[in-house]
Amino acid sequence: MPRFFVDTPLAATAGDIALPAGAARHVQVLRLQPGDALTLFDGSGPEWQAEVTAMGRSEVRVRLIASEQPQRELARSVTLAVVMPANDRMDFLVEKATELGAAAVQPLMSERSVLRLNGERADKKRAHWQGVAIAAAEQSGRTVPTRVEPVMTLGAWLAALNDGGGEWRGLLSPRAASPLTAFPQQRALFLSGPEGGLSDAEEDAARARGFAPITLGPRVLRADTAPLAVLSWLALS
């Protein structure tokens, strides 16, 4: 059954409603007809079974039938703080992180960053990545898309972190000796560097904020592979 994200609070609506423009375009592309079933979600957790009631050139109307609360999220709330990889690899990372259940992705810039974003360009990229996360949530069955945070420098982000009470923090480092092992906390934050890795000073700064260095094995993983490997391990553990 087709699934669509809508940026309208569905719990506050009733009966026949007009779909927002984005969702309406998807319904039109699929050539759904009145009476056809679809699933809607607004990012708050539940999803709604609905059916198309009217198709127009500029408007699609649906009727909400019933809501349910599927359990498809990870047992832990996991945030991936990643120094943005170059080219289109950040798109891939956000898409797969959403499929694997990440609660949030924090894009960062560090000393060795290839991709650097500021101002309006950073805002546009963030909006684009949020769209990637929404599309991945529609495809994968998630009802809460991964949240993409504003782009920040690593230094500013570390300085803004709280004391981490109740949160497990891991630093993915090729220089670390300890592997990732089970931990009891229900919230986790993982920091991963760019193509050239974090500098010694940046790793020291992360450790000072409570990040435990961990290794993912003897092979060197790409900047867009390492955080996804951690997320896969957590999803299956």
Side-chain angles (χ1 to χ4, degrees):
M1 185 184 302
R3 300 181 76 252
F4 303 106
F5 172 82
V6 295
D7 56 0
T8 300
L10 293 175
T13 64
D16 189 84
I17 64 169
L19 289 181
R25 282 195 298 273
H26 287 305
V27 170
Q28 290 166 332
V29 167
L30 290 175
R31 299 183 182 276
L32 298 185
Q33 298 299 316
D36 286 345
L38 67 161
T39 301
L40 303 177
F41 65 103
D42 61 8
S44 64
E47 65 182 14
W48 280 258
Q49 303 307 312
E51 68 175 11
V52 178
T53 58
M55 291 285 294
R57 287 183 177 273
S58 59
E59 184 180 69
V60 175
R61 300 193 70 84
V62 302
R63 180 171 65 90
L64 302 181
I65 298 172
S67 67
E68 52 190 48
Q69 187 85 37
Q71 298 300 320
R72 302 186 188 120
E73 298 301 309
L74 292 186
R76 294 184 175 91
S77 176
V78 181
T79 295
L80 300 180
V82 294
V83 178
M84 300 174 291
N87 303 319
D88 295 328
R89 293 196 183 110
M90 189 66 179
D91 286 29
F92 174 85
L93 194 156
V94 170
E95 179 184 74
K96 301 311 174 188
T98 302
E99 291 179 21
L100 291 167
V105 170
Q106 172 63 66
L108 297 171
M109 294 179 291
S110 69
E111 290 180 21
R112 297 170 181 165
S113 287
V114 175
L115 179 60
R116 295 185 178 275
L117 301 171
N118 293 287
E120 184 179 354
R121 187 164 172 246
D123 293 338
K124 287 182 177 179
K125 274 293 190 181
R126 180 196 182 194
H128 167 73
W129 290 326
Q130 191 63 68
V132 170
I134 287 170
E138 289 176 335
Q139 178 274 324
S140 65
R142 289 190 64 187
T143 57
V144 184
T146 295
R147 183 178 67 258
V148 181
E149 303 287 4
V151 178
M152 297 181 68
T153 64
L154 175 59
W157 177 74
L158 287 173
L161 286 179
N162 58 30
D163 60 8
E167 175 182 78
W168 197 89
R169 293 178 176 178
L171 167 64
L172 308 186
S173 171
R175 296 183 287 276
S178 299
L180 178 61
T181 56
F183 53 88
Q185 292 89 338
Q186 292 303 301
R187 292 187 299 116
L189 174 58
F190 291 92
L191 172 60
S192 183
E195 287 83 346
L198 297 176
S199 69
D200 290 344
E202 287 171 331
E203 288 207 2
D204 289 343
R207 289 190 187 95
R209 299 298 287 164
F211 285 84
I214 56 175
T215 178
L216 298 180
R219 293 170 301 282
V220 178
L221 302 182
R222 299 186 74 116
D224 54 328
T225 304
L228 296 177
V230 168
L231 198 54
S232 298
W233 186 88
L234 290 171
L236 295 172
S237 61

